């Protein structure tokens, strides 16, 4: 029997547990800030994550860095300054900051009589790594970071030779709406109607098993839908069964692995909050399937455009704050997401162990 729940109440409950200014964002996680190719030479790149303005760059020895895009002196964005490959000079008063640490190294206006200790002044600095073609930034809500920072997300690859591609698009919505759209299993026949994928006529009942994993849940390894032509073609090429495994992991990540004999496809998709009313999808995929990058990008762009257009239309309705609902079983993953988020916030607040909303494997059924 379908059980209706109010999505707005779930969203507000999760947001209420955090500071009002956090807008429902999750801190102490890695987020993709920009593509690696955007940073050329000593050029600086502006970015915004969780409403935090950032300036990104790369030192002459190749190390990427991320600083808060505001000089601690008078607040002017550091991105207007000059970067010499090691230090970033503010355009207003010439204060210089080490790109990798944010430590102030020079204040030109100081005289020999001044007692201000330059080395005690820092521009806001965030841990930063470069991998899989992205600049990843670890965002903490306070200066007192955890002593151990986890590794940044990394795309799984299963052979030395493979093709890969990156795609992205903006969504005019809060991160929560973007994420539950990412994991929604029932919109495919309506949003993603394509000759190469599926149509309304292909709708049928499905049953998938899900299991809990740390900070998320997994659609257990299974045979993918028979109503999608790409899976049928892959099986014909290899003569082997096709399997897929899909994970969702807080704060914003969906991974998918498809295997058939020696052929494989792997993807990592994130929905990152830029502002409380704007999110961005970043999609990274790698594969050794005999499919040219140009062909795959064409198909993937179609998918992303369809999702983007749907979210733009949804935003028209959401601005009037309508009553929303989640139903079983198709929306159960969305319920798990809200519960995971709320439970993580509560665990951090109390210092207790995070309670997972799933107590074991469960089978969900829906039509799509």
């Amino acid at each position: 029997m379908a059980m209706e729940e109010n999505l707005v109440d779930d969203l507000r409950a999760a947001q209420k547990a955090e500071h009002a200014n956090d807008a429902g964002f999750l801190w102490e996680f890695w987020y993709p800030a920009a593509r690696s190719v955007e940073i050329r030479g000593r050029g600086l790149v502006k970015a915004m994550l969780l409403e935090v303005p950032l300036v990104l760059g790369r030192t002459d020895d190749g190390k990427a860095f991320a600083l808060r895009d505001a000089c601690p002196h008078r607040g002017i964005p550091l991105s207007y300054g000059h970067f010499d490959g090691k230090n970033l000079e503010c355009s207003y008063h010439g204060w210089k900051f080490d790109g990798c640490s944010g430590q102030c190294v020079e204040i030109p206006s100081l005289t020999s009589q001044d007692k201000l200790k330059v080395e005690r002044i820092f521009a806001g600095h965030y841990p930063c790594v470069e991998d899989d073609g992205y600049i990843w930034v670890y965002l903490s809500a306070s200066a007192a970071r955890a002593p151990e920072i986890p590794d940044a997300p990394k795309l799984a690859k299963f052979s030395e030779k493979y093709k890969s591609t990156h795609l992205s698009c903006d969504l005019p919505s809060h991160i929560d709406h973007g994420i539950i759209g990412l994991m929604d299993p029932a919109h495919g026949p309506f949003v993603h109607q394509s000759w190469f994928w599926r149509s309304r006529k292909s709708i049928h009942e499905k049953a998938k098993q899900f299991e809990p994993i740390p900070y998320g849940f997994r659609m257990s390894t299974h045979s993918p839908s028979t109503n999608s032509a790409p899976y049928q073609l892959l099986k014909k090429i290899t003569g082997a069964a096709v399997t897929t495994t899909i994970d969702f992991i807080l704060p914003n990540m969906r991974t998918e692995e498809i295997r058939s004999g020696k052929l494989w496809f792997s993807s990592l998709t994130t929905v990152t909050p830029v502002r409380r009313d704007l999110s961005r999808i970043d999609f990274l995929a790698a594969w050794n399937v005999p499919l040219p990058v140009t062909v795959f990008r064409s198909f993937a762009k179609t998918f992303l455009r369809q999702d983007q257009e749907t979210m733009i239309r949804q935003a028209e309705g959401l601005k009037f704050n309508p009553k929303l609902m989640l139903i079983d079983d198709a929306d159960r993953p969305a319920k798990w997401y809200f519960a995971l988020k709320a439970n993580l916030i509560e665990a951090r607040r109390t210092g207790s162990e995070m309670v997972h909303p799933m107590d074991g494997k469960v089978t969900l059924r829906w039509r799509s």
Side-chain angles (χ1 to χ4, degrees), residues 266-279:
S266 177
S267 68
L268 188 160
T269 308
T270 55
V271 182
T272 297
V274 178
R275 304 187 307 261
R276 63 195 69 197
D277 62 346
L278 178 65
S279 303

Side-chain angles (χ1 to χ4, degrees), residues 7-82:
L7 173 56
V8 174
D9 290 342
D10 287 343
L11 174 57
R12 288 174 177 167
Q15 292 179 343
K16 190 175 181 181
E18 286 197 312
H19 192 277
N21 290 335
D22 288 341
F25 300 151
L26 286 178
W27 302 85
E28 320 301 335
F29 283 106
W30 291 97
Y31 290 93
R35 287 287 313 284
S36 294
V37 295
E38 295 180 51
I39 303 178
R40 299 179 178 87
R42 295 179 177 179
L44 300 173
V45 172
K46 296 167 69 75
M48 181 172 288
L49 297 176
L50 284 67
E51 299 186 341
V52 176
L54 301 172
V55 55
L56 311 174
R58 190 182 290 112
T59 62
D60 283 350
D61 59 6
K63 183 174 176 58
F65 65 85
L67 300 178
R68 189 179 185 94
D69 196 14
C71 179
H73 178 212
R74 301 283 288 277
I76 190 170
L78 290 172
S79 54
Y80 289 122
H82 172 71

Side-chain angles (χ1 to χ4, degrees), residues 269-317:
T269 308
T270 55
V271 182
T272 297
V274 178
R275 304 187 307 261
R276 63 195 69 197
D277 62 346
L278 178 65
S279 303
R280 187 187 68 249
I281 290 181
D282 287 294
F283 174 78
L284 166 64
W287 65 93
N288 72 344
V289 178
L291 181 66
V293 172
T294 53
V295 175
F296 178 81
R297 282 181 63 85
S298 177
F299 291 158
K301 281 183 178 180
T302 298
F303 268 74
L304 281 183
R305 185 174 63 252
Q306 290 167 338
D307 281 325
Q308 184 183 42
E309 289 174 351
T310 298
M311 297 299 290
I312 290 172
R313 292 171 178 174
Q314 184 189 34
E316 290 184 24

Side-chain angles (χ1 to χ4, degrees), residues 50 56 74 83 112 132 175 276 293 304 315 327 346 354:
L50 284 67
L56 311 174
R74 301 283 288 277
F83 181 58
S112 59
D132 282 330
I175 178 66
R276 63 195 69 197
V293 172
L304 281 183
I327 63 172
E346 179 64 13
M354 176 182 167

Side-chain angles (χ1 to χ4, degrees), residues 167 188-189 191-200 202 225-234 291 294-307:
L167 292 169
V191 174
H192 298 301
Q193 292 185 46
S194 303
W195 66 266
F196 61 86
W197 191 243
R198 62 185 62 166
S199 67
R200 292 193 184 193
S202 68
S225 300
T226 57
N227 57 347
S228 297
Y231 296 133
Q232 299 174 19
L233 179 60
L234 183 58
L291 181 66
T294 53
V295 175
F296 178 81
R297 282 181 63 85
S298 177
F299 291 158
K301 281 183 178 180
T302 298
F303 268 74
L304 281 183
R305 185 174 63 252
Q306 290 167 338
D307 281 325

